[in-house]
């Protein structure tokens, strides 16, 4: 038997800055889990990350103990409690593999406030229950008294193999993965029995009146006249729908020989038999009495299987990436293994099936937000997942500081080959950036030092990233840095800006190469080299008439200007 270890340790990557790709390529994406910049920390046995599909781009975290946390899409936001299922009395059992395992939001959550929980009740049975948010757009805590039980699945004898995960399909029905009931070799042969809800994918119409004695209806097309839609699964703990195609990708935790990932299109999922207990992954289950196996099919072969114990022991079903930040990863299935941390990568057409090793283990879910960006969930934290290619440049640091003339950015590389340029991008949040400048690459084999000054008058947090562009136009992004420009120091570098003593007095926090005095029509009246000079600097003013001028500083990859009034 296999048990998840819910102590959930976190092993941090020893890598430096994690790069994110910006162009689509045919090659397999290099996937990164950004443990240096967690999205959320301080969680308690986090199990799943979902969104409400309500255009708020909030993310919701299910915690095993029965709490749901919500995080608004703001860099300064902190998670708050959206629902405490145990607020009035203990509802959720948390021993062994029990607990709150999954949550799903109704397609009409914006208007009806309905969302669903899948958990073990105090008797150890598996329950789907609906809760109602009084104000769906608010992050206010939901009243636990709104609970309405939709389904209870008896789970006698064992406290493992509960599954499971819920998703609403494109057809509006609620789908749920359920484990086989536990124990070795599915001794009760639940998985193959269409009259038992264990070891299945269930499909339910939950849009029935609350007054109905049964809180769901069986949709037309369910093959057995009950909630069973597909069968032959052992412990389908994590699975997902491809948001573009509706394809199902199901991770089914193996017993001791194979871990498997199954892939079915919407047309193929109905009545699919994934073969447990007759088959474990892509082999006949070792040591099982195979009576009836030869006539029990046809069986669905897994899209991907690997040996249990060599590359992990508990597959974590993933998602097909449909976000926009990392086009190289677009259309790829990304999953993992709870114990090894291996990242599974399968192209949408299954032509490429591979994996990469990772130091991040004990991941309980690969979740996605409303924009299609994906995250790794561990017991205590949530991390962004990105993808990048190996550009011929290695960035070793990137920082920014506010100064008298704006924001100074500096970075360095340890190696460069056939590299073109850095595009500097700035935003007022982490979602939208605009290009504010370009610095050419030096193509130094041993690396280079770079600097850029951004002339901006703003009090608050500014967000910057580097777009690193290769000569073949492939590119990757650096990590995002935050510069707080709330500073009491004056923004002007010419002080005072009213010049009446025939001297231009400046304070420079960084050196420039040249100072020019320019008329408003563009005529240059004076020019003086100031290379290497910083701090207080006074320059005698040459013969000029009274009027408004521009003092212009130019340096390597930067220009700074300030209007002044000259009185004669």
């Amino acid at each position: 038997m296999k048990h998840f270890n819910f102590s959930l340790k976190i092993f941090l990557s020893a890598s430096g800055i994690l790069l994110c790709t910006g162009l689509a390529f045919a090659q397999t994406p290099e996937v990164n889990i950004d443990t240096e910049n967690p999205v959320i920390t301080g969680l308690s046995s986090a199990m799943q990350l979902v969104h409400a599909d309500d255009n708020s781009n909030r993310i919701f975290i299910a915690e095993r103990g029965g709490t749901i946390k919500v995080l608004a899409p703001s860099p300064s936001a902190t998670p708050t409690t959206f629902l405490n299922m145990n607020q009035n009395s203990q509802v959720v059992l948390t021993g062994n593999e029990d607990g709150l395992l999954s949550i799903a939001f109704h397609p009409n959550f914006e208007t009806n406030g309905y969302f669903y929980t899948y958990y073990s009740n105090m008797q150890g049975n598996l329950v789907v229950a609906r809760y109602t948010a009084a104000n769906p757009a608010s992050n206010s805590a939901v009243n636990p008294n709104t609970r309405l039980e939709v389904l209870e699945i008896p789970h006698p004898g064992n406290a493992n193999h509960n599954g499971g995960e819920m998703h609403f399909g494109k057809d509006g029905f609620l789908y749920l993965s359920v484990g086989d009931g536990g124990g070795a070799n599915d001794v009760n042969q639940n998985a193959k029995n269409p009259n038992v809800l264990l070891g299945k994918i269930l499909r339910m119409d939950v849009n029935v009146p609350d007054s109905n004695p049964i809180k769901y209806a069986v949709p037309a097309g369910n093959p057995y006249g009950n909630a069973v839609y597909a069968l032959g699964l052992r412990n389908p703990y994590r699975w997902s729908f491809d948001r573009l195609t509706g394809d199902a990708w199901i991770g089914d935790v193996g017993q001791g020989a194979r871990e498997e990932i199954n892939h079915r299109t919407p047309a193929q999922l109905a009545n699919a038999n994934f073969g447990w207990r007759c088959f474990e992954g892509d082999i006949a289950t070792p040591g099982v009495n195979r009576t009836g196996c030869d006539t029990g099919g046809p069986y669905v072969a897994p899209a991907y299987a690997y040996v249990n114990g060599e590359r992990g022991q508990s597959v974590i079903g993933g998602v097909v990436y449909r976000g926009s930040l990392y086009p190289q990863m677009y259309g790829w299935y990304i999953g993992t293994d709870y114990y090894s941390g291996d990242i599974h990568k399968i192209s949408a057409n299954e032509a490429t099936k591979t994996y990469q090793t990772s130091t991040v283990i004990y991941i309980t879910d690969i979740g996605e937000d409303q924009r299609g960006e994906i995250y790794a969930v561990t017991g205590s934290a949530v991390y962004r997942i990105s993808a990048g290619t190996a550009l011929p440049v290695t960035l070793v640091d990137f920082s920014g500081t506010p100064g008298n003339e704006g924001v100074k950015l500096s970075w360095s590389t340890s190696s460069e080959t056939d590299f073109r340029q850095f595009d500097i991008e700035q935003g007022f949040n982490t979602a939208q950036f605009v290009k504010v400048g370009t610095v050419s690459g030096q193509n130094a084999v041993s690396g280079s030092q770079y600097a850029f000054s951004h002339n901006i008058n703003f009090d608050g947090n500014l967000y910057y990233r580097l777009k690193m562009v290769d000569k073949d136009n492939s590119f990757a992004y650096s990590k995002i840095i935050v510069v707080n420009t709330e500073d009491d120091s004056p923004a002007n570098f010419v002080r005072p800006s009213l010049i009446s003593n025939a001297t231009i007095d400046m304070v420079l926090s960084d050196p420039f190469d040249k100072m020019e005095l320019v008329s408003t029509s563009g005529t240059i009246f004076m020019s003086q080299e100031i290379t290497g000079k910083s701090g207080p600097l006074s320059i005698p003013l040459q013969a000029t008439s009274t009027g408004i001028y521009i003092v212009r500083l130019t340096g390597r990859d930067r220009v700074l200007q300030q209007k002044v009034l000259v009185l004669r």
Side-chain angles (χ1 to χ4, degrees):
M1 288 185 292
K2 193 176 284 103
H3 300 273
F4 284 106
N5 173 11
F6 285 108
S7 61
L8 298 175
K9 300 176 184 177
I10 302 172
F11 285 69
L12 300 180
S13 170
S15 60
I17 294 171
L18 298 177
L19 305 181
C20 312
T21 189
L23 282 183
F25 294 90
Q27 69 259 32
T28 304
E30 186 69 19
V31 177
N32 302 301
I33 300 175
D34 187 2
T35 56
E36 295 183 356
N37 301 283
V39 178
I40 307 174
T41 58
L43 297 171
S44 176
S45 296
M47 300 298 288
Q48 185 191 25
L49 180 150
V50 303
H51 64 89
D53 199 22
D54 61 350
N55 297 312
S56 69
N57 206 40
R58 293 176 291 177
I59 56 177
F60 296 82
I61 308 294
E63 294 181 318
R64 186 181 175 221
T67 301
I68 300 173
K69 298 289 180 65
V70 58
L71 180 71
S74 167
S76 60
T78 56
T80 58
T81 298
F82 188 70
L83 172 67
N84 180 359
M85 297 171 64
N86 305 308
Q87 181 175 315
N88 296 330
S89 61
Q90 191 68 28
V91 172
V92 180
L93 183 68
T94 57
N96 294 300
E97 293 180 12
D98 298 311
L100 172 59
L101 302 178
S102 180
I103 56 179
F105 287 80
H106 193 280
N108 297 326
F109 171 74
E110 281 185 273
T111 55
N112 63 26
Y114 294 164
F115 62 98
Y116 297 79
T117 59
Y118 176 60
Y119 63 95
S120 305
N121 67 12
M122 297 305 293
Q123 291 73 46
N125 293 330
L126 304 175
V127 174
V128 175
R130 189 191 78 193
Y131 289 85
T132 304
N135 182 359
S138 170
N139 292 335
S140 300
V142 173
N143 185 348
N145 292 329
T146 62
R147 177 183 175 275
L148 176 72
E149 186 172 298
V150 176
L151 173 68
E152 181 174 349
I153 304 173
H155 193 276
N158 298 291
N160 62 343
H161 299 189
N162 301 325
E165 185 164 359
M166 297 183 295
H167 293 284
F168 279 92
K170 288 178 175 290
D171 53 14
F173 300 133
L174 181 63
Y175 291 73
L176 166 65
S177 64
V178 186
D180 67 4
N185 293 326
D186 188 13
V187 292
N188 295 318
Q189 301 192 49
N190 292 322
K192 73 174 187 178
N193 185 349
N195 297 313
V196 176
L197 301 186
L198 298 170
K200 310 295 192 301
I201 296 291
L202 307 183
R203 179 177 181 249
M204 298 174 285
D205 182 357
V206 294
N207 297 303
V208 300
D210 291 355
S211 58
N212 278 19
I214 299 177
K215 306 306 179 185
Y216 70 92
V218 176
N222 279 26
Y224 301 104
N226 59 9
V228 173
Y229 198 60
L231 67 166
L233 292 164
R234 180 179 180 272
N235 193 18
Y237 171 67
R238 286 290 172 255
W239 70 283
S240 66
F241 280 127
D242 182 337
R243 61 164 58 193
L244 178 66
T245 66
D247 288 11
W249 292 82
I250 305 165
D252 195 11
V253 178
Q255 178 165 267
R258 294 290 190 274
E259 302 295 315
E260 70 180 82
I261 299 164
N262 296 292
H263 174 208
R264 295 282 87 185
T265 67
Q268 295 170 333
L269 184 59
N271 202 28
N273 186 339
F274 296 103
W276 177 254
R277 72 174 187 169
C278 292
F279 292 90
E280 183 179 357
D282 55 0
I283 64 171
T285 305
V288 165
N289 183 336
R290 298 189 58 78
T291 300
C293 287
D294 293 339
T295 59
Y299 300 110
V300 175
Y304 185 65
Y306 57 98
V307 176
N308 180 295
E310 290 185 4
R311 291 191 24 242
Q313 293 177 297
S314 291
V315 65
I316 300 296
V319 300
V320 175
Y321 177 74
R322 297 296 181 184
S324 60
L325 294 182
Y326 314 108
Q328 186 193 1
M329 193 162 56
Y330 188 84
W332 284 79
Y333 165 90
I334 306 297
T336 188
D337 186 281
Y338 182 77
Y339 287 105
S340 71
D342 283 358
I343 298 173
H344 307 141
K345 301 179 288 189
I346 306 175
S347 59
N349 61 2
E350 297 188 33
T352 302
K353 305 172 187 180
T354 186
Y355 73 99
Q356 68 181 67
T357 59
S358 170
T359 58
V360 186
I361 61 176
Y362 301 144
I363 292 172
T364 57
D365 184 42
I366 304 293
E368 62 179 337
D369 65 19
Q370 188 165 356
R371 297 189 179 102
E373 302 308 320
I374 61 176
Y375 304 82
V377 180
T378 67
S380 61
V382 173
Y383 304 107
R384 288 183 179 86
I385 297 177
S386 61
T389 55
L391 283 180
V393 60
T394 302
L395 186 69
V396 294
D397 62 61
F398 176 38
S399 61
T401 56
N404 295 326
E405 64 277 3
V407 174
K408 177 187 177 182
L409 303 174
S410 59
W411 63 96
S412 61
T413 62
S414 60
S415 64
E416 300 173 27
T417 306
D418 295 328
F419 180 67
R420 179 182 295 168
Q421 67 192 42
F422 297 93
D423 289 341
I424 296 87
E425 298 185 352
Q426 179 262 319
F428 297 98
N429 53 50
T430 58
Q432 294 179 313
F433 288 83
V434 296
K435 179 180 173 181
V436 296
T438 296
V439 176
S440 299
Q442 297 301 303
N443 270 319
V445 175
S446 59
S448 301
Q449 302 283 334
Y450 295 91
F452 179 85
S453 288
H454 182 210
N455 183 16
I456 185 169
N457 186 12
F458 178 80
D459 287 335
N461 286 334
L462 295 173
Y463 299 84
Y464 291 90
R465 67 184 182 186
L466 300 175
K467 181 180 177 181
M468 299 173 286
V469 185
D470 187 19
K471 288 185 176 180
D472 65 1
N473 289 324
S474 61
F475 64 86
Y477 287 114
S478 72
K479 69 176 182 179
I480 298 171
I481 64 169
V482 184
V483 180
N484 190 317
T485 59
E486 292 179 343
D487 196 304
D488 295 332
S489 61
N492 293 337
F493 61 89
V494 179
R495 310 175 192 170
S497 56
L498 173 62
I499 301 174
S500 58
N501 60 351
T503 302
I504 301 174
D505 294 314
M506 298 180 293
V507 178
L508 305 180
S509 61
D510 295 296
F512 286 80
D513 297 329
K514 182 169 58 177
M515 188 282 299
E516 296 172 315
L517 186 68
V518 186
S519 71
T520 55
S521 63
T523 303
I524 299 176
F525 280 89
M526 61 176 291
S527 177
Q528 181 164 332
E529 182 182 344
I530 56 172
T531 301
K533 297 181 180 179
S534 61
L537 179 63
S538 296
I539 297 178
L541 185 63
Q542 298 177 5
T544 53
S545 303
T546 296
I548 296 176
Y549 295 83
I550 297 172
V551 176
R552 181 166 65 198
L553 302 178
T554 58
R556 181 172 177 252
D557 302 306
R558 53 182 171 168
V559 176
L560 194 63
Q561 300 183 135
Q562 180 185 329
K563 286 184 179 181
V564 296
L565 175 61
V566 175
L567 296 179
R568 286 292 189 179

